[in-house]
Amino acid sequence: MEKDHVDRILTQWRTERPDLDVEPMGLLGRLARLATYLGREVEKTFLELGLTSASFDVLAALRRSGAPYQLSPGDLLATMMITSGTMTNRIDQLEKAGLVERLTNPEDRRSVLIALKPEGLDLVERAVTAHVANQHRLTALLEPDERVALDAILRKYLLAFE
């Protein structure tokens, strides 16, 4: 079997600290390294469209909400693991770029809704299409049955934390 970078690290630890069971280090190290590599590949696709994963997250949340593609800042915040200050900054940047707008909430004039502008809708449509194609490219490195098995294992593991 071919050795990866993590195998080399584990070999070193097994030599230096044979008293430790470093098997979990291998699993978590590989997950972390894969997350880094995959994150870079995902970010490249967004950068080609003038986006970042952060801006895509906001636009995609609005798009997924369905027509009329509007959410309160609180509802947007609930879809992401960020602070309200970070969310305000993301909305400000997208508003400056002409992709979203703040609208007065017709149900509560003291609050606003964040809405996709036509330019934002067009961009997120192109971005999600490119993103899904990129995801297919990245997961094609595994056989279909391997993807199904890995997805089931990762779901089980993730649910233990959620």
Side-chain angles (χ1 to χ4, degrees):
M1 180 188 294
E2 192 173 348
K3 302 264 185 200
D4 64 14
H5 180 76
V6 174
D7 285 318
R8 290 186 288 280
I9 291 170
L10 295 176
T11 297
Q12 290 171 326
W13 278 121
R14 287 180 180 124
T15 300
E16 295 299 315
R17 289 293 309 270
D19 59 307
L20 294 177
D21 174 8
V22 294
E23 180 186 359
M25 187 184 291
L27 174 64
L28 297 177
R30 285 185 179 92
L31 286 172
R33 286 181 66 83
L34 273 170
T36 299
Y37 285 124
L38 294 172
R40 287 178 191 155
E41 291 297 315
V42 166
E43 201 67 35
K44 282 182 200 174
T45 298
F46 294 142
L47 287 174
E48 290 171 4
L49 293 163
L51 294 172
T52 63
S53 13
S55 57
F56 174 79
D57 283 347
V58 175
L59 296 175
L62 290 166
R63 175 60 181 90
R64 286 191 316 267
S65 73
Y69 314 117
Q70 307 175 345
L71 291 171
S72 72
D75 288 339
L76 266 174
L77 191 59
T79 70
M80 299 170 211
M81 295 184 351
I82 58 173
T83 66
S84 59
T86 300
M87 176 58 71
T88 299
N89 184 46
R90 288 183 185 181
I91 292 167
D92 288 347
Q93 295 304 311
L94 291 167
E95 188 175 36
K96 285 178 192 170
L99 302 174
V100 301
E101 61 185 334
R102 287 177 166 91
L103 303 174
T104 302
N105 187 339
E107 295 177 13
D108 179 1
R109 299 196 55 78
R110 296 169 295 160
S111 66
V112 298
L113 295 173
I114 309 305
L116 273 179
K117 291 180 76 173
E119 298 85 352
L121 179 59
D122 176 63
L123 180 57
V124 75
E125 290 293 339
R126 289 184 288 124
V128 76
T129 299
H131 181 49
V132 169
N134 189 39
Q135 289 175 324
H136 278 276
R137 178 185 68 83
L138 293 170
T139 59
L141 300 168
L142 300 173
E143 296 297 326
D145 60 324
E146 292 172 325
R147 289 193 299 269
V148 170
L150 181 59
D151 189 51
I153 291 166
L154 292 175
R155 179 181 297 108
K156 177 182 177 180
Y157 197 25
L158 184 58
L159 282 170
F161 291 92
E162 291 183 344

